[in-house]
Each structure stands twice: as structure tokens, then as C-alpha cells.
Amino acid sequence: MEFNRPSPKTRQVPIVSLIDILFIVLVFFIVTSEEKKEREVLKIELPTVRDVPSQTVVDDRSVLAIDREGTIRLDSLTVPDLNLLEAYLEAFVKENPNRKLELEPDKEVSLEKLMGVWDALTRVGIEVKDVPARIQLPSETPPSE
């Protein structure tokens, strides 16, 4: 005897309802998202030393320069060692009590050397804030006098 069995039906996922849900989610994201707003950029041009006219320079300063190798020069005098810089600065202050200093370190000078110079200035009584630093970039050539 043969029984007639119904063939098993394959189950299907209702695609139409999934498409509706995806459409609603898409509309939600479109409505809630904001367009990227372009922000204004403020362009700033910082003045460089070359931009300052020479008539505006008020006082003449002596130069305390440190080159790439770490050689320290006080105007035309070469300081042989960082430990002797304090003595050189004391003599400089005695000879020129009202003359101000300007620090010109090379960009590649180590921070240790620069801090040593600042310490020597402080021990002599010259405040670091009164000694402007003009850092010489490697691409720049020193101004010819």
C-alpha cells in the first residue's frame, strides 16, 4: 500500500518585509545625518625678523651664539668651555653694565647645552626672559655684517 506523502515545502524568508524595513532604516539615516559643513580657516602670517624695518631696532645688543658643534661665542670672543661661560659673562657685565644680550643658538644645538647657557646667565644675574633667542635654522645663512 502506498501512501501519498506531501513533499516538504522549502521555507522562504519574506523578502518584501525585509525590503520595507531596510527602506525605513535608510530614510532614517538620510534624515538624521548632517552634511559636512565647511569651517572657516583663519590664515595667520607670523612676522619674521626679516620683516622688521631696521629703524625700529631700539637698542644694540651683544650676541651670545652657539653653533652646531657647541662652540659658544660672546660677540667676537670664543668661550673655550661651558663651565667658563659664567666667568666670561661676569666680566662682560662689569665692562658693559647697560648692554643687553641676544642668544643665537643653532637649531641643532642640544638642549643640555642650551640649558647650561641659561643656567650661567641666571647665576650671573641676567634673567633669561631679558635675553631674546633668535634660533638660526640650518637652511638660513648668518647675516653678513
Side-chain angles (χ1 to χ4, degrees):
M1 179 157 150
E2 272 186 49
F3 291 107
N4 205 359
R5 289 188 174 183
S7 63
K9 291 185 178 179
T10 58
R11 299 211 174 228
Q12 294 181 351
V13 178
I15 300 287
V16 174
S17 63
L18 285 178
I19 290 175
D20 290 344
I21 292 171
L22 286 175
F23 180 72
I24 291 171
V25 170
L26 179 67
V27 168
F28 173 76
F29 282 124
I30 289 173
V31 170
T32 58
S33 67
E34 295 181 15
E35 290 183 25
K36 186 176 179 182
K37 295 178 183 176
E38 196 168 318
R39 299 185 332 184
E40 290 186 30
V41 177
L42 181 62
K43 294 184 180 180
I44 299 174
E45 290 184 30
L46 297 175
T48 60
V49 177
R50 289 179 230 110
D51 294 342
V52 178
S54 61
Q55 292 85 10
T56 60
V57 177
V58 177
D59 52 356
D60 195 24
R61 293 181 178 262
S62 292
V63 177
L64 180 62
I66 310 169
D67 65 5
R68 180 179 311 195
E69 289 79 28
T71 306
I72 302 171
R73 296 179 58 85
L74 181 59
D75 280 338
S76 60
L77 264 140
T78 302
V79 180
D81 190 15
L82 182 61
N83 299 329
L84 296 174
L85 179 61
E86 188 175 341
Y88 276 75
L89 287 172
E90 285 174 352
F92 172 79
V93 170
K94 272 185 187 175
E95 290 178 21
N96 310 303
N98 295 327
R99 191 161 174 100
K100 295 186 178 183
L101 283 173
E102 179 177 294
L103 182 62
E104 284 189 5
D106 192 88
K107 186 177 181 183
E108 297 177 6
V109 170
S110 68
L111 184 60
E112 178 183 0
K113 183 73 104 173
L114 193 59
M115 293 301 288
V117 170
W118 282 340
D119 286 343
L121 286 169
T122 306
R123 284 192 298 267
V124 170
I126 302 171
E127 292 191 37
V128 175
K129 68 177 183 174
D130 294 336
V131 181
R134 184 177 302 175
I135 297 175
Q136 186 176 4
L137 300 176
S139 61
E140 293 180 0
T141 55
S144 58
E145 296 177 10

